[in-house]
Amino acid sequence: QVQLVESGGGLVQAGGSLRLSCVASGNIFSVGFMGWYRQAPGKQRELVADMTNDGSTVYAASVRGRFTISRDNAKKTVYLQMNSLKPEDTAVYYCAADGYFWRNAPRNWGRGTQVTVSS
């Protein structure tokens, strides 16, 4: 099992930036990818971006060009740099990680961090 702890959320004005961090611990040798999901009120949780161990990335169309995912394997940390934030980016952001086979349905989740973008 992998434990994940997110940080870096907060309140920001539209057009601003935030950087989220997620630190992994536990059975990290089983991790094939790490990523970020988000869930807005009344909506389903959706993939924002993820990155495999070999650096392959996937981004949601709504964030491509504004958000960047990166990893520091030595620090067991994945980051999400969010620029040009919009009110519709408001959500709870969750970190996820698992073996590559589970990329579409990760089993390990953090508790989430709130991101609120004011207009």
Side-chain angles (χ1 to χ4, degrees), residues 44-86:
Q44 288 189 327
R45 187 156 49 186
E46 62 176 359
L47 173 69
V48 177
D50 74 19
M51 177 181 279
T52 62
N53 289 355
D54 63 4
S56 173
T57 59
V58 170
Y59 288 92
S62 60
V63 307
R64 197 172 295 128
R66 300 187 297 123
F67 292 9
T68 303
I69 189 170
S70 61
R71 286 174 66 171
D72 184 332
N73 290 327
K75 295 183 178 180
K76 307 168 191 176
T77 301
V78 63
Y79 304 98
L80 185 68
Q81 178 66 42
M82 305 186 294
N83 298 330
S84 302
L85 282 160
K86 304 175 181 180

Side-chain angles (χ1 to χ4, degrees), residues 90-91 110:
T90 295

